[in-house]
Amino acid sequence: MSEPTGGRLVLAGNAIVDLVMRVPALPERGGDTVSRDTAFTTGGGFNVLTAARRLGLPALYAGAHGTGPFGDRVRADLAREGIALVLDRIREVDTGFCVALVDDGGERTFATSLGAEARLTEADAAAVLAALRPGDMVQISGYGLAYPVNGPVLASLVARLPEHTRVFLDPGPLVDQIAEEVLAPVLARCDWVSCNQREARLLTGLPDAHEAAAALATRLGPRTGVILRADAAGCRLVLPGGEPLHLPGRRVTAVDSNGAGDAHAGAFLAFLGHGLDPVTAAEGANAAAAFAVTRPGPATGPTLDELLGFLDGDPLAARLSSALGR
């Protein structure tokens, strides 16, 4: 695989541990259900990092992490994927965890317990700034922006990022809980915003995907691109200053949708980092997300070989293979 031309992915987000429980359906309020399968996995921002790393983009975890069994698991999994750490561990608290219920339709429902990842400091922000190199891409998550401690620190960090750094925001399901004084400076600095249809509706008030993508692009201004992810329908892509394009998705049998949006984000960033144009990068991200939902688990983004095999002769496979030196 060719060396990337666009720097590294630096994730100023949250890598936590997921307790994934597979259930027939969510119980009614006050009810109960029995899990058919239960597993601990590292998730959160880890999913974005691994999706990018498996496609050849160097990646760094610039979030906080704690001391204890969950922190140890996160660090071990990051090391296994070849992802470096920027910050030292926090001594007095463990990394947080999330309970993820995955039903028979592949949909997931979360409940999260915060830990060390929600305790960023200004000293941490300074360390992240010092670690950056020209051409790096910094990914920010709306989860972190919604945390009372992390939000102001991350907003201040983003405002101080050098011009050579590209900023990528995934506003996440808590976008309507982010304080305006935190969200506004991040949106003003973003080069790309990637969200799902629900998040786009919360940001614009519009239920139609095409209209929401156009309205969000107008709100963000001519320097910022928009990706509105629509699951099996693919995505709406708005190039900076342009109009929404519909890039179709790929029909697959979904096994687990947990982490599909992260696989899309990580793949898009990896392809940008390898010098691909945004349209091709988004098409590749659509394919990576489709591959991811056919596998159980949150961190199921493909390697390049897996993605090319999945595309199986599709013209996109030749374009990706040529650009990435395969």
Side-chain angles (χ1 to χ4, degrees):
M1 187 180 299
S2 65
E3 289 299 314
T5 59
R8 308 166 299 174
L9 171 57
V10 180
L11 187 134
N14 313 301
I16 61 175
V17 172
D18 289 339
L19 170 58
V20 181
M21 306 177 71
R22 301 186 182 282
V23 298
L26 294 181
E28 62 180 342
R29 187 181 183 197
D32 195 0
T33 190
V34 176
S35 171
R36 290 195 295 262
D37 179 57
T38 301
F40 281 100
T41 63
T42 300
F46 175 75
N47 302 335
V48 178
L49 290 167
T50 57
R53 189 72 189 93
R54 290 171 186 173
L55 291 169
L57 188 71
L60 285 79
Y61 176 55
H65 48 105
T67 299
F70 291 156
D72 290 344
R73 177 183 287 270
V74 166
R75 283 184 291 274
D77 287 344
L78 288 167
R80 186 192 69 241
E81 295 286 342
I83 299 164
L85 298 168
V86 175
L87 304 177
D88 293 330
R89 74 184 71 185
I90 297 175
R91 297 290 176 181
E92 68 271 17
V93 64
D94 201 357
T95 291
F97 66 94
C98 171
V99 178
L101 301 177
V102 184
D103 65 26
D104 280 348
E107 188 56 89
R108 69 273 191 262
T109 303
F110 299 128
T112 302
S113 176
L114 303 182
E117 74 287 347
R119 299 193 181 188
L120 281 177
T121 66
E122 285 297 337
D124 294 333
V128 174
L129 287 169
L132 294 176
R133 299 176 185 170
D136 281 346
M137 296 179 286
V138 174
Q139 203 264 4
I140 303 291
S141 166
Y143 280 109
L145 296 178
Y147 296 164
V149 173
N150 286 20
V153 174
L154 289 170
S156 175
L157 168 64
V158 170
R160 289 178 284 163
L161 288 173
E163 275 299 312
H164 62 67
T165 304
R166 286 179 285 178
V167 182
F168 184 95
L169 171 67
D170 186 336
L174 302 181
V175 63
D176 58 338
Q177 301 178 36
I178 303 172
E180 181 61 25
E181 63 269 20
V182 170
L183 183 60
V186 177
L187 291 178
R189 177 59 180 83
C190 279
D191 296 279
W192 289 97
V193 172
S194 174
C195 59
N196 63 27
Q197 294 181 89
R198 175 183 177 273
E199 294 154 6
R201 176 174 54 80
L202 291 173
L203 284 165
T204 67
L206 298 171
D208 180 80
H210 187 90
E211 293 177 359
L216 185 53
T218 298
R219 175 181 176 182
L220 294 170
R223 63 163 283 168
T224 305
V226 171
I227 302 169
L228 197 161
R229 307 185 306 270
D231 301 323
C235 69
R236 293 300 198 285
L237 174 71
V238 188
L239 299 175
E243 297 293 326
L245 305 172
H246 178 221
L247 303 179
R250 296 170 186 274
R251 295 285 177 178
V252 296
T253 300
V255 173
D256 184 355
S257 64
N258 189 11
D262 294 330
H264 195 285
F268 179 75
L269 289 167
F271 294 137
L272 284 186
H274 281 287
L276 286 162
D277 65 276
V279 173
T280 304
E283 290 175 333
N286 281 350
F291 175 95
V293 302
T294 66
R295 305 290 178 92
T300 52
T303 65
L304 180 59
D305 286 340
E306 289 173 332
L307 184 59
L308 295 178
F310 174 72
L311 289 169
D312 190 25
D314 187 294
L316 176 61
R319 287 151 60 197
L320 297 178
S321 180
S322 175
L324 274 66
R326 295 298 286 270

